[in-house]
Amino acid sequence: MASSTVTSAQPERPPRPNLAFRRLRGKRSPAEFAAAVRRAAREIGERVSCDARYVGRVEAGEIRCPNYAYERVFLHMFPGRTLTDLGFAPRSSVRGRQARTTGESRGAGEPYETHDAQDVRDTQDLQGLQDLYETHDNNEESDVLRRAFMTSGATVAAASLGPLGLALDAAAAGRPTRRAGTGEAGALEEAVRRIRLLDDRHGADGLYRRAAAPLRTAYALLDAGASRQATADRLYTGAGELAISVGWLAHDSGRFDDARSHYAEALATARMNGDAGLEAHAFCNMAFLARDAGRPREAVRAAQAAQRAARPLGSDRLMSLLALREAGGWAGLADRVGCEQALARAQAFYGRGPSDTDPEWMSFYGEAELEGLEAQCWSTLGDWTRAARHARRAADLQDPHFTRNLALYSAELADDLARGGRPDEAAGAGMRVLDLLGEVQSSRIHTMLAGTARVLLPHRRSPAVSTFLDRHTALPRPA
């Protein structure tokens, strides 16, 4: 992995901040506002992958006009207002050429965001994307080319990352890879968002192997160099975040050695670029992996290293999550006092509320996740009653949009109830997990459910337990 070489380029037009949109967000954090956007989308049947980074880009003026899906969502959220009232530019003014007569047709040169619903529903002709990208090289116009992944029903099929695919194709053909610009950096950032969204919905098993090629492409772009220092920094951060995302897919699907390698690559990227936020994220995931791999002392040390890196960043929610990672390590060491102290810090940091400094990748971290991670700590310590109480709260609090986490918390609840001597309740929770497995592919959840089934075998005479065990036995095993 070579350092990016920055070359001179034409000065970019600075974006104008969208102050009207910022006022509409009010006191909500970007992550909280993004969650409200996703809820509003579901109310009208749209599917958008809005997160804190997207909100930040809108407020910074980088997105001058939203795509049609976001337009419908924003107008639903703020009835009576127009896009201009929300601080956006008229659609005709941001097109790469003269506006067409029909409002729904789009061209390759249109510099507003790509349609998220189409990303999810339709396959994209890759060669067409490459041709368009080679033709329209303007930094702003390339924004429309940020298609990252596509899905087919509940089975996720990851596609090439739009313009990022060009770098991989060029490397394979032995041609020099052209220097990266803002289009490639944006495509890389969008790829990370898409992986996280699809993992939230479907789990890791169907994604991991397909995500390896985009990661190779990201590091090929680093080797090729960037047109500006700001773009180089975005590429380093994006490549590191993508390595962590791919590492998590390996982690959640039980490929611990692969996950360790990807996390280490992300950590090296962070340190080469002096990126404390990326370093904290890499150590956070390394702590989680160490706990799952049966190395609790390493989990504690990695979580503490993450906290040292994160402390100057000013995010209480990040410090809360990292304290929970440390608590998980102490639980694995059977150190109840150390675990309780770390849990108390996690609760205290969380109680300070969200802030604009919270990293984008933490959009998953809310009260449900806090309860779920605390449940895992008590479960490790053998306090099944307390573990079940927190796991139940996690499942009750979880937004059903995030199917994978809902299944995870329900599986934790089923296991805690089974081990705590409440087999019928455990069977009921296990049945709820089985209902979700048509949408979720996660080796972690399958493994947890198999353990619960073994605990429940002596209670097979119970009708509820018998029904659960029969249905679990008939479950197709993950590949």
Side-chain angles (χ1 to χ4, degrees), residues 147-215:
R147 295 187 180 273
F149 290 90
M150 58 189 177
T151 61
S152 176
T155 303
V156 181
S160 174
L161 304 184
L164 291 188
L166 297 173
L168 192 58
D169 291 344
R175 302 192 306 272
T177 304
R178 79 176 191 86
R179 297 194 181 280
T182 57
E184 289 89 348
L188 179 53
E189 291 161 354
E190 183 61 26
V192 176
R193 297 187 192 106
R194 184 65 57 190
I195 286 177
R196 290 171 183 160
L197 176 65
L198 297 179
D199 176 52
D200 284 338
R201 290 177 179 171
H202 305 294
D205 286 10
L207 277 173
Y208 171 60
R209 294 194 182 282
R210 298 181 182 95
L215 181 59

Side-chain angles (χ1 to χ4, degrees), residues 270 275-285 305-307 309-310 313 318 322 361:
D275 190 332
L278 180 59
E279 181 175 342
H281 191 185
F283 272 128
C284 175
N285 279 45
Q307 290 169 76
L313 303 178
L318 176 55
L322 298 177
W361 60 266

